[in-house]
C-alpha cells in the first residue's frame, strides 16, 4: 500500500435535453408574444390615428370625459352620500385608454346587469387616477368593507382587481 488513494472519478455535468427544449420553447413563445403586441394598433406597431387631446392644464382628455365625470360624481353622491373632497375607497376592476371608452361602457353595462354597484371614473372626478384613462370601479366602500369587497370581486369579476383611495372632485 503506497498510502495514496485513487482520486474519485469526476462526474460530468450534463444539462438535460428536456431543460434546453423547454427553455427554447419559452424563448420562442416570448418572441411571438412581442411580435403580436407590436402588430396591434396602439401597442407600438401602427400609430393610433387619433392623437390624444390635451387640455389647457396638460390633462389628457378622454372623449366624453366631462360627462363621464359628472355621471360618476352624481352616482356616488346620490347612492352613497359622498360629497366633494371626501376620501373614498374603490375596487378598480379594469382600466381602459381613453380611445377604448366604448369597451369600458360595455363592461359597465354587463356588470350592472349582474347587480354590481359600479361606475366609470377618470381623473376629472378622482384626481388620483391616471390622466387619459377610464376605470371601471366598484364602490365606494368604507376601508374595512373595501378589503372584503376586494376579495369577493377578485373571485367573481377580475382576479387582478385592486383597491384605490381617491378624493371626490365634483366637476
Amino acid at each position: 500500500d503506497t498510502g495514496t488513494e485513487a482520486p474519485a472519478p469526476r462526474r460530468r455535468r450534463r444539462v438535460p435535453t428536456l431543460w434546453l427544449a423547454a427553455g427554447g420553447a419559452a424563448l420562442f413563445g416570448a418572441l411571438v408574444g412581442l411580435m403580436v403586441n407590436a402588430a396591434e394598433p396602439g401597442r407600438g406597431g401602427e400609430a393610433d390615428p387619433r392623437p390624444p387631446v390635451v387640455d389647457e392644464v396638460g390633462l389628457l382628455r378622454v372623449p366624453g370625459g366631462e360627462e363621464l365625470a359628472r355621471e360618476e360624481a352624481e352616482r356616488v353622491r346620490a347612492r352613497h352620500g359622498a360629497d366633494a373632497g371626501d376620501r373614498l375607497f374603490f375596487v378598480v376592476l379594469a382600466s381602459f385608454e381613453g380611445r377604448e371608452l366604448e369597451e369600458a361602457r360595455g363592461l359597465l353595462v354587463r356588470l350592472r346587469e349582474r347587480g354590481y354597484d359600479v361606475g366609470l371614473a377618470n381623473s376629472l372626478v378622482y384626481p388620483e387616477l391616471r390622466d387619459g384613462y377610464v376605470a371601471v370601479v366598484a364602490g365606494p366602500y368604507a376601508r374595512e368593507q373595501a378589503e372584503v369587497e376586494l376579495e369577493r370581486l377578485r373571485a367573481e369579476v377580475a382576479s387582478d382587481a385592486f383597491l384605490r383611495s381617491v378624493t371626490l372632485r365634483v366637476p
Side-chain angles (χ1 to χ4, degrees):
D1 190 27
T2 62
T4 59
E5 294 181 24
R10 291 184 129 198
R11 292 186 65 189
R12 237 174 87 183
R13 292 182 181 242
R14 293 186 340 175
V15 177
T17 306
L18 183 60
W19 285 108
L20 286 174
L27 181 60
F28 179 75
L31 289 172
V32 168
L34 286 172
M35 290 185 331
V36 168
N37 279 341
E40 290 181 28
R43 294 240 180 176
E46 302 170 24
D48 186 357
R50 296 166 292 187
V53 179
V54 179
D55 71 8
E56 60 279 354
V57 293
L59 291 177
L60 285 173
R61 303 301 290 272
V62 173
E66 293 84 2
E67 178 185 341
L68 181 148
R70 283 191 297 275
E71 289 172 3
E72 173 63 3
E74 184 55 34
R75 181 184 77 86
V76 297
R77 290 172 75 189
R79 293 188 66 167
H80 300 279
D83 205 357
D86 286 354
R87 197 84 178 139
L88 307 170
F89 291 92
F90 283 98
V91 175
V92 177
L93 300 171
S95 182
F96 297 87
E97 292 182 8
R99 67 176 181 263
E100 301 170 318
L101 182 57
E102 289 311 308
E103 293 173 40
R105 287 189 193 280
L107 178 59
L108 176 80
V109 168
R110 291 189 302 277
L111 290 173
R112 283 184 176 171
E113 287 172 350
R114 292 175 52 193
Y116 292 102
D117 179 20
V118 292
L120 291 180
N122 63 18
S123 62
L124 295 176
V125 69
Y126 304 122
E128 294 86 356
L129 298 182
R130 190 169 174 192
D131 294 337
Y133 285 79
V134 176
V136 178
V137 296
Y141 306 104
R143 173 68 182 185
E144 298 77 29
Q145 184 64 25
E147 292 173 4
V148 171
E149 289 299 315
L150 173 64
E151 294 309 313
R152 180 178 75 87
L153 291 166
R154 278 183 174 166
E156 296 176 5
V157 178
S159 61
D160 59 348
F162 61 93
L163 283 181
R164 186 67 191 239
S165 174
V166 297
T167 306
L168 176 62
R169 175 169 47 193
V170 179

